[in-house]
């Protein structure tokens, strides 16, 4: 079983819809949780970053972390065609000076105009 | 800043050939990461450096893979000999300090081994 599981999609939704992307994980030592966005043939770019449990909002994007359930989510409100990309969750265990990020396999999202 | 620079952007080679991928991190960043991305396995960390010193190479798949960082502005990932299963997109990323959220990725090198 992978440490981080992510539904690969693809996911297609109409413009303006609310999008929910999710990851589950098995390592309870993970403390940092990130969402990266990757456009086709580009490198991933950091979208949201959360430490431990809770919610974080940035414009149309909201990241949620539920450590008790080992479940993280990214919500996109008022989705736009420019949001079409692959979304990767990532997380890390900072103990012992470990700098490694463990990524999900990514969910491909298409916003239909 | 130009961001993380990788070269070449595309590489097509034949099985058994040596492949060298290059990376220039963002100036001032003290961590450098090499990743490999495939459809089946997603994004995998191969190795990372701190202040030019390799810290964790547990993700390097085989002895055919090697990485160096001779100075703060340059790193290479070498595959010798290459095999078709090495075909993937290889990303370099850099960051400042021990804050994982500040990892910046390069555009990647798309490698095809025939």
């Amino acid at each position: 079983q992978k440490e981080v599981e992510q539904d690969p999609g693809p996911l297609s939704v109409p413009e303006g819809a609310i999008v929910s992307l999710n990851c589950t994980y098995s390592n309870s030592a993970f403390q940092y949780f990130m969402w990266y966005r990757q456009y086709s043939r580009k490198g991933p770019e950091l979208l949201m970053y959360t430490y431990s449990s809770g919610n974080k909002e940035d414009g149309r994007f909201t990241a949620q972390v539920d450590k008790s359930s080992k479940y993280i989510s990214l919500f996109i409100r008022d989705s736009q065609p420019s949001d079409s990309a692959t979304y990767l969750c990532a997380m890390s265990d900072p103990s012992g000076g470990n700098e490694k990020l463990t990524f999900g396999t990514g969910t491909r999202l298409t916003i239909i105009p | 800043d130009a961001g993380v620079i990788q070269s070449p952007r595309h590489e097509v080679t034949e099985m058994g050939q040596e492949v060298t991928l290059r990376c220039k991190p963002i100036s001032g960043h003290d961590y450098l990461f090499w990743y490999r991305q495939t459809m089946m396995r997603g994004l995998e960390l191969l190795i990372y450096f701190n202040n030019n010193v390799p810290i964790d190479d547990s993700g390097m798949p085989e002895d055919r893979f090697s990485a160096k960082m001779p100075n703060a502005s340059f790193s290479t990932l070498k595959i010798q000999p290459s095999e078709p299963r090495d075909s993937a997109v290889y990303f370099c990323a850099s960051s400042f300090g021990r804050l994982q959220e500040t990892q910046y990725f390069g555009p990647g090198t798309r490698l095809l081994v025939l």
Side-chain angles (χ1 to χ4, degrees):
Chain A
Q1 184 184 2
K2 292 181 179 178
E3 274 192 299
V4 179
E5 298 278 359
Q6 185 174 7
D7 186 337
L11 180 63
S12 295
V13 300
E15 183 176 354
I18 296 174
V19 176
S20 172
L21 305 168
N22 312 293
C23 287
T24 59
Y25 63 95
S26 57
N27 186 349
S28 58
F30 286 145
Q31 295 286 338
Y32 292 94
F33 303 92
M34 287 138 263
W35 286 95
Y36 281 80
R37 178 174 61 195
Q38 185 176 19
Y39 290 115
S40 180
R41 297 185 175 269
K42 301 286 187 182
E45 56 178 338
L46 182 67
L47 194 60
M48 298 284 286
Y49 157 75
T50 309
Y51 173 70
S52 194
S53 286
N55 293 1
K56 186 172 184 178
E57 188 174 319
D58 184 1
R60 297 184 295 110
F61 299 88
T62 299
Q64 286 186 352
V65 175
D66 182 350
K67 292 188 68 181
S68 63
S69 301
K70 297 188 179 68
Y71 188 87
I72 70 171
S73 300
L74 177 71
F75 297 96
I76 307 174
R77 293 184 300 279
D78 187 25
S79 56
Q80 303 294 311
S82 59
D83 297 327
S84 297
T86 296
Y87 289 80
L88 302 147
C89 63
M91 42 201 82
S92 71
D93 164 18
S95 63
N98 189 345
E99 310 303 327
K100 292 198 287 190
L101 290 179
T102 302
F103 282 84
T105 51
T107 299
R108 181 177 293 182
L109 172 67
T110 300
I111 307 299
I112 304 166
Chain B
D1 198 315
V4 176
I5 299 172
Q6 291 186 248
S7 65
R9 293 294 307 277
H10 303 273
E11 178 82 21
V12 180
T13 190
E14 292 186 345
M15 182 174 63
Q17 296 297 306
E18 178 179 293
V19 175
T20 300
L21 311 181
R22 298 172 176 79
C23 175
K24 176 179 169 54
I26 293 173
S27 177
H29 282 189
D30 53 353
Y31 282 86
L32 184 139
F33 305 82
W34 281 101
Y35 290 90
R36 177 172 68 176
Q37 187 176 41
T38 61
M39 289 291 292
M40 290 299 295
R41 300 174 66 90
L43 199 60
E44 302 173 287
L45 178 67
L46 300 177
I47 185 172
Y48 78 91
F49 296 82
N50 176 221
N51 291 323
N52 313 337
V53 176
I55 302 301
D56 187 339
D57 65 354
S58 60
M60 296 285 262
E62 299 170 33
D63 291 344
R64 299 184 296 107
F65 286 69
S66 62
K68 294 182 179 180
M69 192 166 186
N71 57 62
S73 59
F74 184 67
S75 177
T76 59
L77 178 67
K78 186 173 294 187
I79 308 172
Q80 168 62 21
S82 58
E83 296 183 4
R85 59 193 169 120
D86 301 330
S87 298
V89 183
Y90 290 81
F91 288 102
C92 176
S94 69
S95 69
F96 174 71
R98 294 182 62 186
L99 300 175
Q100 289 90 334
E101 75 274 17
T102 57
Q103 265 188 51
Y104 295 91
F105 282 76
T109 295
R110 192 169 294 268
L111 174 65
L112 178 61
V113 183
L114 302 173

